[in-house]
């Protein structure tokens, strides 16, 4: 291996050596602890230290790094006290996740590191978001993100590279090509010579760097990163390296040919650099031994601290309280001036007033800019707020939702318009695994609103008609809002944007232009978790949300003799159980009307809650009325048959007769 120190001074050379030595020595210790059962799992980065150390060394401490599972050198080069890492790996409170997540699955704003989720690929999209924030705030900072070559086959990676290129985001995309993804060799992962070549297809600059040569990594990246700060753009780096140990320690390396192992062992980044520094008269055996002793002492001292730390005692309320970031709801009172608005106008106006109030709020979505979105909700927004804040996106839900997460990490709120709520499936993973879990895992909120145009009644078939709120009400960490009226939509959207937690905001397409109401003209908010009681009566409690509220009201209009409490839930998560219980205890009968198909919908949970909390007061079994357990069909007569709308009347009458 040849080293070219260029203009680097001796202190830098020695620092790079020390920085590589530290993760190596920690790993050697971890392997012992693993055998003793003191660490649960270990993904080794032995032989790949030059990459983590090189990348981290060229970045400023304020610049974010998004490492993967083999990047211990990122954490040590950012000088995280070792006892905190050891506590993290042992699931103790001095770690970064209060025992809620393992190994490198954590981030820390203190050190500007955003750790991975297990799914690998989302890291690239999150890096896009952090880099977008840097660009919007003119910070001239670079964001570095890692993946292995195996991870590059994931769709998220392609989406994120494309977005970064289209938006010219200053992300240093680092692929560590270490030969194997678990047991699968590169020949079975992709069919091109160099992954760096993929950049051509994205219109992106790329470089291949010898990932085992610390001076090549450091000097080349120094130039690249300096130039990226001056001229913000994405750059893809393929580091050629090798995984010297098993995927994780328990899985071994039997499938790797010995000659490959030998070839790469000879290229060890630390041994070779050490040899070079000896030749340069910067190191000798005594200095090396002293340096190692010093690091080993640091490791042992810090291990003692971690061992001495008491294990976490489970306290249920602590767990529940950390799912969401605390949100101090601020009540903005409505003004007395009103105007008649359709649901769609109310959403548009609410969004616009939030854009005025939060001057860095960003909207992202397909066709939302000049075109105004397919439903025209953001019509005219570009003219008022500019293209930086109203951003057309490529068709890539995962990367955009991840970008929104990245913006939140960098302190920027965003609203993502899903063209149709059905398409959230293409970004499902970041919603349920990234946005939903980050606060619980490492105290990082996801200040993101996903706008979800949804629902049936427009003969749009199985992929443009779903009401898919139940996919999300099931997932702890998400708030779910589902207004039925223009007034609620405007006030709840303002609250959704103020709330620092991830909110899915369902907008029923069939209500967009059919429901009108007098709505206050100025900005106002409505609290989450408060249902609206639209009518009162002692015969029965009718519970609904979204379009089903209108179906229930229309049915009751035909039966003026039925005296019902009609509860419009407005938000499903949080759910206003107090209002539900108080009403059912009064009426003794409950019927829940839901547009979604029956099984596993929120009506089932509400029914169970009523049974558990109001059983003594019930005069009849709780009734759920929901759509057929089939996909939603296209033609009107099949859609009508599918929907719960027309079944409600009969079920209501039966319940009253029970
Ligand atoms: C979406 C997803 N699929 C599968 C896995 C299981 N898995 C974890 S790491 C890994 C191999 C990753 O290979 P690569 O990206 O090359 O990184 P390396 O481990 O070689 O550093 C696999 C298959 C996962 N974590 N996430």
């Amino acid at each position: 291996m040849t080293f070219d120190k260029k203009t680097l001074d001796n202190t830098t050379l020695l620092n790079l050596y020390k920085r590589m030595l530290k993760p190596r020595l920690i790993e050697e210790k971890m392997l012992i602890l693993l055998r003793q059962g003191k660490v649960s799992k270990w993904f080794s980065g032995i032989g790949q230290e030059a990459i983590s150390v090189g990348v981290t060394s060229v970045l400023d401490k304020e610049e974010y790094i998004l490492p993967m599972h083999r990047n211990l050198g990122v954490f040590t080069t950012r000088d995280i006290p070792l006892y905190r890492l050891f506590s993290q790996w042992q699931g103790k409170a001095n770690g970064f996740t209060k025992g809620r997540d393992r190994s490198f699955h954590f981030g820390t704003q203190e050190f500007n590191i955003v750790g991975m989720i297990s799914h690998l690929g989302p890291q690239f999209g999150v890096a896009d978001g952090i880099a977008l924030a840097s660009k919007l705030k003119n910070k001239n900072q670079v964001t570095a993100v890692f993946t292995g070559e195996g991870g590059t086959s994931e769709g998220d990676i392609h989406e994120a590279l494309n977005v970064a290129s289209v938006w010219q985001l200053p992300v240093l995309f680092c692929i560590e090509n270490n030969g194997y993804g678990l047991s699968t060799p590169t020949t079975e992962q992709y069919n091109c010579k160099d992954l760096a070549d993929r950049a051509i297809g994205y219109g992106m600059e790329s470089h291949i760097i010898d990932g085992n040569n610390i001076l090549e990594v450091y000097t080349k990246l120094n130039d690249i990163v300096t130039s990226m700060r001056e001229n913000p753009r994405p750059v893809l780096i393929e580091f050629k390296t090798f995984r010297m140990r098993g995927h994780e320690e328990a899985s071994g390396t039997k499938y790797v040919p010995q000659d490959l192992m030998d070839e790469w062992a000879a290229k060890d980044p630390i041994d070779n650099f050490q040899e070079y520094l000896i030749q340069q008269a910067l190191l000798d055996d005594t200095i090396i031994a002293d340096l190692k002793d010093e690091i080993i002492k640091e490791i042992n001292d810090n291990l003692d601290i971690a061992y001495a730390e008491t294990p976490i005692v489970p306290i249920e309320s602590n767990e529940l309280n950390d799912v969401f970031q605390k949100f101090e709801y601020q009540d903005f009172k409505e003004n007395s001036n009103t105007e008649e608005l359709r649901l769609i106008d109310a959403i548009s106006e609410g969004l616009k007033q939030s854009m005025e109030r939060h001057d860095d709020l960003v909207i992202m979505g397909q066709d939302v800019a000049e075109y105004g979105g397919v439903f025209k909700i953001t019509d005219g927004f570009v003219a008022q707020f500019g293209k930086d804040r109203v951003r057309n996106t490529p068709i890539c839900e995962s990367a955009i939702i991840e970008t929104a997460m990245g913006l939140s990490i960098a302190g920027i709120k965003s609203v993502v318009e899903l063209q149709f709520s059905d398409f959230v499936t293409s970004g499902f993973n970041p919603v349920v695994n990234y946005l939903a879990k980050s606060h619980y895992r490492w105290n990082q909120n996801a200040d993101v609103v996903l706008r979800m145009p949804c629902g049936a009644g427009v003969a749009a078939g199985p992929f443009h008609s779903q009401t898919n709120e139940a996919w999300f009400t099931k997932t702890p960490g998400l708030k779910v809002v589902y207004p039925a009226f223009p007034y609620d939509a405007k006030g709840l959207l303002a609250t959704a944007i103020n709330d620092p937690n991830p909110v899915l905001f369902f907008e029923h397409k069939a209500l967009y232009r059919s429901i009108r109401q007098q709505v206050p003209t100025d900005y106002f908010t409505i609290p989450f978790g408060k249902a609206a009681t639209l009518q009162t009566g002692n015969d029965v409690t009718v519970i609904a949300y979204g379009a089903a509220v209108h179906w229930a009201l229309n049915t009751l209009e035909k039966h003026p003799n039925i005296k019902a409490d009609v509860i419009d839930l407005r938000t499903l998560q949080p759910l206003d159980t107090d209002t539900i219980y108080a009403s059912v205890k009064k009426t003794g009968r409950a019927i829940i009307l839901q547009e979604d198909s029956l099984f596993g919908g929120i009506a089932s949970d509400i029914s169970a809650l009523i049974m558990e909390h109001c059983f003594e007061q019930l005069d009849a079994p709780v009734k759920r009325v929901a759509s057929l357990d089939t996909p939603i069909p296209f033609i009107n007569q099949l859609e009508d048959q599918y929907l719960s709308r027309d079944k409600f009347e009969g079920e209501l009458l039966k319940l009253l007769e029970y």
Side-chain angles (χ1 to χ4, degrees):
M1 194 178 292
T2 52
F3 289 99
D4 178 358
K5 67 176 180 175
K6 303 221 159 112
T7 56
L8 298 182
D9 60 22
N10 291 344
T11 313
T12 307
L13 296 177
L14 277 173
N15 268 340
L16 289 173
Y17 172 73
K18 283 191 259 180
R19 284 175 176 174
M20 288 200 293
L21 198 54
K22 196 191 253 193
R24 174 70 59 94
L25 294 178
I26 293 173
E27 282 221 36
E28 285 173 358
K29 184 76 182 183
M30 286 308 125
L31 298 184
I32 297 168
L33 296 184
L34 194 71
R35 267 176 245 130
Q36 295 171 348
K38 290 182 179 157
V39 176
S40 68
K41 226 173 186 178
W42 191 258
F43 298 90
S44 174
I46 286 182
Q48 300 179 221
E49 293 94 340
I51 302 167
S52 301
V53 169
V55 170
T56 313
S57 297
V58 299
L59 293 183
D60 296 335
K61 284 208 162 9
E62 297 71 41
E63 290 176 315
Y64 280 90
I65 306 186
L66 292 83
M68 297 300 290
H69 47 292
R70 295 188 205 288
N71 296 121
L72 174 58
V74 168
F75 298 85
T76 51
T77 304
R78 280 269 155 110
D79 288 326
I80 295 186
L82 296 186
Y83 74 90
R84 296 205 61 193
L85 293 177
F86 299 151
S87 287
Q88 167 65 21
W89 300 332
Q90 290 171 20
K92 290 185 170 173
N94 276 337
F96 295 88
T97 61
K98 302 184 187 171
R100 294 169 187 164
D101 208 342
R102 68 184 196 194
S103 58
F104 292 105
H105 296 181
F106 69 93
T108 150
Q109 288 281 11
E110 201 182 334
F111 298 95
N112 292 315
I113 291 174
V114 180
M116 62 191 291
I117 68 163
S118 290
H119 299 64
L120 317 168
Q123 287 292 77
F124 268 37
V126 176
D128 280 359
I130 297 172
L132 174 59
S134 157
K135 207 170 158 171
L136 293 174
K137 293 180 180 175
N138 294 315
K139 281 192 164 176
N140 294 80
Q141 290 178 337
V142 169
T143 301
V145 61
F146 288 86
T147 180
E149 82 293 340
T152 64
S153 297
E154 287 189 34
D156 301 60
I157 299 275
H158 295 276
E159 291 187 11
L161 288 166
N162 184 50
V163 170
S165 184
V166 172
W167 290 355
Q168 285 297 285
L169 303 175
V171 185
L172 186 73
F173 291 107
C174 303
I175 302 173
E176 288 187 77
N177 192 339
N178 65 6
Y180 285 81
L182 216 156
S183 74
T184 308
T186 53
T187 49
E188 293 175 39
Q189 287 282 4
Y190 57 88
N191 190 19
C192 58
K193 184 165 161 282
D194 296 308
L195 287 170
D197 291 342
R198 294 229 172 126
I200 301 165
Y202 300 114
M204 192 185 290
E205 173 184 334
S206 70
H207 303 266
I208 294 175
I209 291 180
D210 177 352
N212 284 30
N213 183 329
I214 183 66
L215 292 192
E216 185 177 331
V217 174
Y218 184 80
T219 54
K220 284 194 174 165
L221 286 184
N222 226 343
D223 292 346
I224 291 167
V225 163
T226 305
S227 146
M228 286 170 71
R229 289 188 194 116
E230 285 160 9
N231 169 23
R233 65 184 189 281
V235 175
L236 178 68
I237 310 286
E238 181 179 1
F239 295 100
K240 304 283 192 189
T241 184
F242 202 72
R243 200 192 69 206
M244 297 304 295
R245 302 193 64 86
H247 169 65
E248 45 97 21
E249 279 309 312
S251 61
T253 53
K254 271 196 187 134
Y255 44 84
V256 183
Q258 192 55 43
D259 54 339
L260 254 184
M261 279 294 199
D262 296 343
E263 184 191 326
W264 282 93
K267 295 189 205 168
D268 183 84
I270 300 179
D271 291 351
N272 279 282
F273 191 50
Q274 182 175 292
E275 200 51 44
Y276 169 75
L277 293 182
I278 292 170
Q279 284 163 20
Q280 299 282 309
L282 290 173
L283 285 182
D284 59 27
D285 288 349
T286 319
I287 303 174
I288 294 169
D290 286 350
L291 281 175
K292 286 189 176 173
D293 284 350
E294 196 183 313
I295 296 173
I296 288 169
K297 181 172 179 337
E298 185 189 348
I299 294 172
N300 287 333
D301 288 352
N302 279 272
L303 267 175
D304 288 344
I305 301 175
Y307 284 146
E309 202 188 336
T310 49
I312 284 181
V313 179
I315 300 171
E316 205 176 86
S317 60
N318 285 355
E319 301 309 295
L320 292 169
N321 287 338
D322 276 355
V323 173
F324 292 108
Q325 180 167 314
K326 294 269 165 308
F327 168 46
E328 298 289 336
Y329 169 73
Q330 234 192 314
D331 195 29
F332 289 86
K333 299 265 179 262
E334 57 219 46
N335 62 321
S336 50
N337 271 357
T338 62
E339 58 191 325
E340 188 179 272
L341 293 182
R342 301 172 300 175
L343 184 80
I344 196 161
D345 308 320
I347 293 168
S348 179
E349 195 175 278
L351 191 56
K352 190 185 286 178
Q353 290 174 356
S354 283
M355 286 290 277
E356 286 162 355
R357 182 163 290 267
H358 303 279
D359 47 342
D360 60 357
L361 174 64
V362 170
I363 297 175
M364 299 183 285
Q366 290 147 29
D367 310 290
V368 298
E370 289 84 352
Y371 188 71
V374 289
F375 297 105
K376 300 293 172 201
I377 285 190
T378 51
D379 206 13
F381 279 38
V382 170
Q384 188 175 345
F385 304 109
K387 282 203 80 167
D388 267 358
R389 294 182 60 205
V390 185
R391 307 184 72 89
N392 269 346
T393 71
I395 305 171
C396 52
E397 285 73 10
S398 277
I400 295 306
I401 294 167
E402 290 152 12
T403 297
M405 180 73 224
L407 282 175
S408 179
I409 288 169
I412 292 183
K413 285 178 177 293
S414 62
V415 172
V416 177
E417 175 175 302
L418 278 300
Q419 201 153 65
F420 289 83
S421 74
D422 309 72
F423 301 143
V424 75
T425 42
S426 293
F428 195 69
N429 181 38
V431 179
V432 299
N433 283 318
Y434 224 123
L435 305 189
K437 296 181 173 62
S438 288
H439 193 266
Y440 178 72
R441 291 171 54 243
W442 61 281
N443 209 29
Q444 175 58 56
N445 68 309
D447 201 347
V448 179
V449 175
L450 302 179
R451 290 193 32 245
M452 308 279 282
C454 64
V458 286
F463 307 114
H464 287 79
S465 309
Q466 295 171 91
T467 181
N468 43 11
E469 66 280 2
W471 300 347
F472 305 102
T473 48
K474 165 78 198 94
T475 304
L478 301 174
K479 298 194 179 182
V480 179
V481 179
Y482 205 142
F485 292 95
Y487 169 85
D488 290 339
K490 185 174 169 184
L492 288 169
L493 182 58
T495 305
I497 291 167
N498 290 341
D499 193 316
N501 294 290
V503 181
L504 288 102
F505 190 86
F506 285 84
E507 307 170 5
H508 202 289
K509 304 190 297 281
L511 305 184
Y512 267 161
R513 293 182 167 79
S514 64
I515 301 297
R516 291 165 182 274
Q517 199 180 26
Q518 288 293 322
V519 180
T521 51
D522 290 352
Y523 180 87
F524 67 97
T525 55
I526 296 175
F528 286 176
K530 299 259 179 262
T533 304
L534 305 177
Q535 290 181 12
T536 52
N538 291 333
D539 297 343
V540 60
T541 300
V542 178
I543 300 161
Y545 57 96
V549 172
H550 300 280
W551 304 343
L553 290 174
N554 293 343
T555 307
L556 286 167
E557 222 171 86
K558 294 199 303 195
H559 298 276
N561 53 325
I562 300 176
K563 305 294 179 214
D565 268 1
V566 179
I567 296 175
D568 171 5
L569 293 171
R570 304 201 292 189
T571 66
L572 306 180
Q573 173 53 258
L575 185 68
D576 184 359
T577 48
D578 289 350
T579 298
I580 296 171
Y581 299 158
S583 171
V584 175
K585 285 176 182 171
K586 180 186 77 172
T587 64
R589 286 170 212 269
I591 184 165
I592 309 147
L593 177 59
Q594 157 185 298
E595 174 175 334
D596 191 10
S597 51
L598 180 67
F599 194 82
I602 193 151
S604 302
D605 267 295
I606 294 171
S607 167
L609 285 166
I610 294 172
M611 303 283 199
E612 284 165 12
H613 292 89
C614 312
F615 185 75
E616 299 293 333
Q617 287 87 359
L618 283 173
D619 296 326
V622 179
K623 184 67 198 170
R624 297 169 300 158
V625 185
S627 298
L628 289 185
D629 281 321
T630 68
I632 306 180
F634 158 48
I635 57 168
N636 282 324
Q637 55 274 39
L638 287 179
E639 193 185 51
D640 287 348
Q641 172 180 266
Y642 163 86
L643 285 175
S644 54
R645 181 188 54 210
D646 300 339
K647 299 179 187 91
F648 177 66
E649 185 175 14
E651 296 298 341
L652 177 67
L653 296 174
K654 261 193 262 171
L655 180 67
L656 287 165
E657 275 163 25
Y658 181 89

